[in-house]
Amino acid sequence: MNLLITGITTQSSIAYAIAEHAMEQGHDVILTNPPGRQFSILERVAKRLPKEPVAVLPMDVTDPEQITETAGKVASRWDHVDGLLHSIAYAPGDALGGNFLNTAWEDVAQAIHVSGFSLKALGVGFRELMAAAPNGAGVVALTFDASVAWPVYDWMGSAKAVLENSAKYLARDLGPEGIRVNTISAGPIKSLAGGSIPGFDQISDRWGESAPVGWDTKDASVVADPALFLMSPGARGITGTTLHVDGGYNAMGSPVA
């Protein structure tokens, strides 16, 4: 498969684990991150992957021109894209950490734009390349269960709700072109993204106690195989769905004894 993977921040990130597993399984990978510091980090981290990516490209998902330009660069290397991973989330500090009632709209808008609306922007921007995939294409977006309110997650939770709902509408509108869109609600992983949320340990530290099969907050690889499955033709009948990869935490009504 030809896979476009966005949002690798560190070697501990879920996106890195997905890229690593994809390469180990023989898939070709192109990586993207926003220009500037995040792109420089990506260039360094990419060197630790099992093989060299097809390309490492700068792309700001809030800039339509950059998405169009990046799609053109991808098209110069591949005639189609089989899978696209949306692993992009950002909220200003004022939108997190228990400040829900005091967050200004400008910060909320940024969180929703980067973390939610960008899924639609990517889906449309790479629509032609995905529609050209001979066995259909799969878009996978990483979320954190937006059906409930979490401590400290605040407006990022609302942004994830936009992400999850947008995936359903994208599944509706892109499905006739053979493009499937799903989300994975992963348990908490202590990556750079998780660590940037004030008080994130309130959510993560006791997760394994309530997950029937346990949960290792340092093991992002547990999400990799489900993500690759959803991007593969094996998931050709699955779209508009949120797959919980959280050790079973979501199914429990109270902490496991």
Side-chain angles (χ1 to χ4, degrees):
M1 293 192 296
N2 296 335
L3 304 179
L4 180 68
I5 294 179
T6 68
I8 291 179
T9 50
T10 66
Q11 200 167 347
S12 64
S13 68
I14 294 174
Y16 180 94
I18 293 170
E20 182 178 49
H21 279 230
M23 289 179 173
E24 290 172 350
Q25 294 177 22
H27 304 304
D28 291 323
V29 173
I30 288 177
L31 307 175
T32 76
N33 249 9
R37 182 173 178 271
Q38 286 177 279
F39 184 70
S40 298
I41 291 172
L42 175 62
E43 288 183 304
R44 292 196 300 271
V45 174
K47 295 176 182 177
R48 303 171 192 165
L49 287 164
K51 65 178 184 179
E52 187 175 350
V54 173
V56 180
L57 304 173
M59 178 176 64
D60 182 346
V61 294
T62 66
D63 185 341
E65 291 184 3
Q66 287 194 35
I67 293 176
T68 299
E69 182 180 349
T70 303
K73 291 177 180 178
V74 172
S76 71
R77 294 164 171 85
W78 294 336
D79 62 2
H80 70 276
V81 169
D82 298 291
L84 188 159
L85 177 71
H86 179 285
S87 178
I88 300 166
Y90 172 76
D94 283 351
L96 299 163
N99 197 46
F100 185 86
L101 297 179
N102 302 310
T103 307
W105 164 243
E106 290 76 14
D107 290 339
V108 173
Q110 187 176 13
I112 291 174
H113 192 178
V114 176
S115 309
F117 181 81
S118 61
L119 177 63
K120 190 281 296 188
L122 283 178
V124 172
F126 289 88
R127 180 180 185 176
E128 291 186 10
L129 280 165
M130 291 191 290
N135 298 306
V139 178
V140 174
L142 301 180
T143 187
F144 189 71
D145 190 358
S147 67
V148 296
W150 296 98
V152 309
Y153 209 47
D154 294 353
W155 285 103
M156 181 60 83
S158 297
K160 290 296 188 182
V162 171
L163 178 78
E164 293 178 18
N165 194 255
S166 296
K168 292 178 172 61
Y169 282 96
L170 282 171
R172 180 196 68 182
D173 292 347
L174 299 182
E177 298 172 31
I179 302 169
R180 295 168 288 100
V181 186
N182 294 289
T183 59
I184 289 180
S185 180
I189 297 293
K190 291 192 174 181
S191 61
L192 180 64
S196 66
I197 299 172
F200 186 70
D201 289 349
Q202 293 180 44
I203 299 173
S204 64
D205 281 356
R206 301 192 65 181
W207 194 277
E209 297 176 15
S210 296
V213 296
W215 185 257
D216 183 353
T217 60
K218 297 180 181 179
D219 182 16
S221 68
V222 71
V223 186
D225 288 334
L228 292 173
F229 165 69
L230 288 175
M231 287 188 273
S232 77
R236 59 190 176 277
I238 303 173
T239 194
T241 295
T242 295
L243 174 64
H244 290 269
V245 183
D246 62 1
Y249 183 99
N250 75 94
M252 301 297 105
S254 63
V256 178

